[in-house]
């Protein structure tokens, strides 16, 4: 197995697979493969390369709704035209993928109308499988057993009590997190927080600067920090294990209704509660699996209440979700893949 990725000096451990990068590496890897899998919004050139080489294509296709919030799109002279590049790639993936992967039953339900509209579901498909198992596999969010082993071996290093996980994007509420920490300070609760992924990029730079200003405005510079460097994976386990809770609160919006935030993987793996909003599928999963606290009406006070509850031990560690190992949840998909490749 080969994994196509941009070069990094601290890559994810990929077991027996091989990371490939550099000029021409993607085309060579695709040409030599039996099957090609794409995640999220794929690289369009790589998709077309897989089509040209007549490969078996698997897609985890996410409709590019959140992309409409990107400042680089909104500030463009033609926002609709700029967004079209993402939409065209999504449509092309629907058109050429032989099989699809969804993260939950809810995502699968939302994906079915898109497949129908794209002409990818025919009467013959329903005759073959009324549940379309030959076309879609549901692989719940989880972790690999190797990741669990690395997490168990990692030392515990305190970076902050509460970690804002994921990026700082315009459809999230990072200011609310700062304001909640200010509320805690006024209540006499001694706690620290960090925006774990605060490396500025084009679509987050302006908001990160505003967050930094708010931290300074409340006099929280010694209590709330923004991590502006890329954290080596060797350090990440250490910080996540030492936290009391992970936080990621979003605004109500269409992007929350159609997808589960991947960062919930950390609660499944480390047993640390996540504090999230209740506006979509992410909140549904947190509530159903008891992964943390869902804020029905997010605000600085309600978020501070949740943080204080965790800090006081009111919501203890849940422990690792042993049923979420990919080695187990991928079995039906791998059986489908083995069957398809055997027929070639």
């Amino acid at each position: 197995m080969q994994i196509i990725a941009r070069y990094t000096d601290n890559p994810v451990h990929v077991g027996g697979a091989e990371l490939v990068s550099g000029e021409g590496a993607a085309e060579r890897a695709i040409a030599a493969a039996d099957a090609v899998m794409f995640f999220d919004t794929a690289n369009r050139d790589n998709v077309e390369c897989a089509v040209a080489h007549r490969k078996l294509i698997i897609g985890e296709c996410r409709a590019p709704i959140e992309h409409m919030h990107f400042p680089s799109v909104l500030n463009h002279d033609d926002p609709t035209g700029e967004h079209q590049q993402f939409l065209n790639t999504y449509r092309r993936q629907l058109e050429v993928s032989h099989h699809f992967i969804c993260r939950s039953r809810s995502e699968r339900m939302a994906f079915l109308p898109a497949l129908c509209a794209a002409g990818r579901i025919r009467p013959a498909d329903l005759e073959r499988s009324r549940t379309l198992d030959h076309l879609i596999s549901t692989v719940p969010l989880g972790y690999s057993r190797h990741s669990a082993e690395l997490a168990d071996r990692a030392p515990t290093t305190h970076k902050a009590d509460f970690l804002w996980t994921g990026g700082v994007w315009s459809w999230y509420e990072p200011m609310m997190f700062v304001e909640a920490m200010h509320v805690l300070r006024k209540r006499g609760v001694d706690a620290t927080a960090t925006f774990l992924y605060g490396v500025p990029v084009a679509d987050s730079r302006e908001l990160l600067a505003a967050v930094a200003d708010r931290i300074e405005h409340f006099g929280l510079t010694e209590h709330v920090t923004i991590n502006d460097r890329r954290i080596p994976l060797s350090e990440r386990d250490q910080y996540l294990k030492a936290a009391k809770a992970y936080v990621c609160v979003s605004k109500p919006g269409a992007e929350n209704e159609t997808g589960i935030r991947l960062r919930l993987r950390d609660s499944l793996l480390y047993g640390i509660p996540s504090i999230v909003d209740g506006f979509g599928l992410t909140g549904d999963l947190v509530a159903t699996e008891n992964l943390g606290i869902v804020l029905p009406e997010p605000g600085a006070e309600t978020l501070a209440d949740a943080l204080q509850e965790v800090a006081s031990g009111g919501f203890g560690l849940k422990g690792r979700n042993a049923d979420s190992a990919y080695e187990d949840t991928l079995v039906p998909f791998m059986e489908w893949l083995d069957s398809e490749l055997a027929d070639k």
Side-chain angles (χ1 to χ4, degrees), residues 103-104 106 141 165 245-250 256 259-268 271-296 306 309-310 315-316 318-319 321 324:
R103 300 173 191 165
S104 69
S106 297
L141 197 61
T165 54
Y246 313 131
V247 182
C248 184
V249 180
S250 183
N256 285 321
I260 293 173
R261 292 169 217 161
L262 292 175
R263 66 214 54 172
L264 291 188
R265 168 260 191 195
D266 295 333
S267 282
L268 293 168
I272 309 297
S274 287
I275 302 173
V276 302
D277 56 275
F279 296 133
L281 297 180
T282 296
D284 293 344
L285 181 61
V286 170
T288 301
E289 298 294 329
N290 194 32
L291 296 179
I293 299 174
V294 179
L295 305 176
E309 179 182 351
V310 171
F315 194 103
K318 177 178 181 294
N321 189 322
S324 297

Side-chain angles (χ1 to χ4, degrees), residues 82-156:
E82 182 68 7
H83 179 259
Q84 197 70 31
Q85 61 177 313
F86 302 110
L87 185 58
N88 287 343
T89 298
Y90 172 69
R91 287 172 170 165
R92 185 60 169 157
Q93 287 181 265
L94 294 183
E95 181 182 35
V96 303
S97 296
H98 300 94
H99 196 80
F100 301 92
I101 290 179
C102 293
R103 300 173 191 165
S104 69
R105 183 171 180 268
S106 297
E107 282 195 13
R108 184 187 183 109
M109 292 167 60
F111 190 53
L112 288 173
L115 287 180
C116 185
R120 289 306 315 278
I121 302 176
R122 303 160 298 172
D125 287 302
L126 291 177
E127 286 295 312
R128 179 175 176 181
S129 169
R130 291 179 60 83
T131 53
L132 300 174
D133 294 335
H134 64 290
L135 192 60
I136 310 171
S137 291
T138 302
V139 181
L141 197 61
Y143 55 84
S144 71
R145 291 201 176 97
H146 179 77
S147 294
E149 292 170 2
L150 289 179
D152 290 340
R153 292 201 300 264
T156 300

Side-chain angles (χ1 to χ4, degrees), residues 219-259:
L220 293 172
T221 53
E222 293 184 5
H223 305 281
V224 182
T225 59
I226 299 174
N227 177 61
D228 60 0
R229 71 179 182 92
R230 299 191 184 280
I231 298 177
L233 293 171
S234 56
E235 293 181 21
R236 187 176 184 275
D237 282 330
Q238 302 176 38
Y239 302 147
L240 291 170
K241 288 175 67 174
K244 294 180 178 179
Y246 313 131
V247 182
C248 184
V249 180
S250 183
K251 302 173 183 177
E255 69 283 344
N256 285 321
E257 300 297 329
T258 57

